[in-house]
């Protein structure tokens, strides 16, 4: 009987769907950034994790697994012209600080065209980002996961060798328990949750610096304790972050830190 059955949870068959990395890729740890639903700041947090990693001197990559809503290249100001390759292999784009990136948007001539593909084709593309891209040496690879807990994120979990998960949530999702779906998906997939980030947690008053909790008192500590999760950080709603991401200058955003990364990521070793 599997662990899930013992705990009275939904039984989950665990066949091995993992695909092999490109022979030219040596990735030490792969961390998936997930959320229970879309639009909570998953891509922004993925970018901030990568920025933390590269500032600490780690070789860093971002695999943008959000094929239908890729936003990582725009945040870092890279485009199709930054990707090179041969008949056999693709090389990731590199940002100014050296973060390696592969994303659907880097392979499209017109980034405004929607990717109108069915789930198996989407997951096929994500697998190719792993098998056909030569990533070289990477200490931490962050995977911007497709939003939600459906077919595509499930297949990504089953296909890529994910070592740990970072859950991104907003104050409202903590209250409505959407975050628990993401947490339960991680448990079913048997991947350790490194911790939780509460995005859009508060607004900082530009005059006095006070934290204004526009969604009420944060439930983060309570839910984190209930679920046995570490708190990686709380990020305010900050117009400077939106502006930096919209103009491709995310790498130069330094206002807030996800200080919990200092402990949870090195602990993966
Ligand atoms: N803390 C924040 N302060 C200000 N703006 C933010 C913050 N977090 C995210 N945003 C902005 O909100 C928008 C959505 O964020 P983001 O793209 O990171 O969300 P997402 O969860 O990846 O969305 P999707 O599900 O569509 O992939 C972006 O324009 C981003 O710049
Ligand atoms: Mg996104």
């Amino acid at each position: 009987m599997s662990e899930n059955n013992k705990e009275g949870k939904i039984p989950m068959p665990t066949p091995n769907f993992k695909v092999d990395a490109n022979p030219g890729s040596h990735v030490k740890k792969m961390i998936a950034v997930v959320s229970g639903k879309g639009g909570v700041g998953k891509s922004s947090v993925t970018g901030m994790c990568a920025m933390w990693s590269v500032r600490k001197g780690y070789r860093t990559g971002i695999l943008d697994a959000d094929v239908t809503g890729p936003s990582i290249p725009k945040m870092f100001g890279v485009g199709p012209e930054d990707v090179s390759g041969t008949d056999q292999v693709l090389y990731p784009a590199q940002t100014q600080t050296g973060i390696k990136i592969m994303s659907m948007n880097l392979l499209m001539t017109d980034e405004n065209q929607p990717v109108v593909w069915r789930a198996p084709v989407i997951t096929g593309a994500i697998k190719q980002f792993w098998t056909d891209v030569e990533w070289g040496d990477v200490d931490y690879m962050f995977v911007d996961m497709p939003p939600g807990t459906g077919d595509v994120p499930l297949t990504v979990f089953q296909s890529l060798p994910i070592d740990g998960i970072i859950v991104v949530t907003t104050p409202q999702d903590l209250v409505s328990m959407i975050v628990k779906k993401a947490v339960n998906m991680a448990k079913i997939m048997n991947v350790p949750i490194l911790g939780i980030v509460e995005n859009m947690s508060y607004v900082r008053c530009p005059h006095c610096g006070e934290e204004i909790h526009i969604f009420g008192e944060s439930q983060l500590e309570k839910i984190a304790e209930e679920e046995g999760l570490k708190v990686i950080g709380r990020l305010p709603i900050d117009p400077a972050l939106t502006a930096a991401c919209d103009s491709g200058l995310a790498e130069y955003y330094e206002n807030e830190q996800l200080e919990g990364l200092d402990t949870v990521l090195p602990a993966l070793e």
Side-chain angles (χ1 to χ4, degrees):
M1 188 186 278
S2 76
E3 283 299 310
N4 286 330
N5 269 336
K6 265 190 252 164
E7 290 173 22
K9 295 202 187 110
I10 311 159
M12 182 77 189
T14 49
N16 190 3
F17 291 120
K18 296 268 184 278
V19 290
D20 289 334
N22 184 278
S25 300
H26 311 284
V27 177
K28 287 193 185 153
K29 295 290 170 196
M30 203 174 218
I31 298 113
V33 181
V34 311
S35 64
K37 70 172 175 49
V40 301
K42 188 166 41 60
S43 302
S44 307
V45 170
T46 306
M48 288 174 80
C49 290
M51 286 165 346
W52 170 90
S53 171
V54 88
R55 279 176 196 155
K56 295 274 168 183
Y58 295 111
R59 293 163 297 184
T60 305
I62 301 179
L63 191 159
D64 186 356
D66 195 351
V67 167
T68 54
S71 45
I72 294 289
K74 186 164 186 278
M75 278 171 61
F76 288 96
V78 291
E81 64 282 2
D82 298 306
V83 173
S84 57
T86 65
D87 286 352
Q88 310 291 323
V89 74
L90 267 176
Y91 301 104
Q94 278 211 31
T95 70
Q96 294 192 17
T97 60
I99 301 170
K100 294 179 179 175
I101 294 180
M102 184 47 72
S103 166
M104 199 62 216
N105 256 13
L106 296 176
L107 305 177
M108 298 188 37
T109 42
D110 180 0
E111 62 171 11
N112 296 315
Q113 285 304 318
V115 173
V116 196
W117 291 345
R118 294 191 189 277
V121 185
I122 294 174
T123 52
I126 297 165
K127 288 178 193 173
Q128 281 186 284
F129 288 171
W130 188 230
T131 54
D132 296 357
V133 175
E134 191 175 308
W135 288 94
D137 292 320
V138 173
D139 296 311
Y140 290 119
M141 170 91 83
F142 298 94
V143 184
D144 188 4
M145 293 288 282
T149 52
D151 188 25
V152 178
L154 187 76
T155 315
V156 178
F157 270 118
Q158 290 178 324
S159 311
L160 303 181
I162 306 285
D163 297 291
I165 290 174
I166 292 174
V167 178
V168 183
T169 182
T170 62
Q172 285 308 299
D173 292 344
L174 283 167
V175 177
S176 66
M177 298 298 146
I178 286 176
V179 66
K180 288 204 173 170
K181 286 191 185 172
V183 169
N184 284 330
M185 178 165 81
K187 285 182 183 162
I188 290 168
M189 299 314 300
N190 244 330
V191 183
I193 301 178
L194 304 177
I196 184 165
V197 175
E198 185 181 48
N199 191 27
M200 309 191 199
S201 177
Y202 57 91
V203 177
R204 195 177 288 288
C205 172
H207 303 293
C208 67
E210 188 197 344
E211 287 185 13
I212 304 165
H213 296 265
I214 49 180
F215 301 108
E217 264 320 299
S218 174
Q219 304 282 311
L220 182 64
E221 300 291 344
K222 180 170 161 271
I223 306 275
E225 200 180 320
E226 275 173 25
E227 297 290 326
L229 304 176
K230 292 201 175 78
V231 173
I232 292 179
R234 292 162 62 237
L235 299 174
I237 298 176
D238 182 0
L241 174 63
T242 327
C245 291
D246 288 351
S247 54
L249 297 171
E251 279 171 294
Y252 303 100
Y253 177 79
E254 283 196 42
N255 279 13
E256 302 292 334
Q257 295 296 323
L258 295 170
E259 60 279 354
L261 291 175
D262 288 341
T263 47
V264 299
L265 283 182
L268 262 180
E269 298 303 325

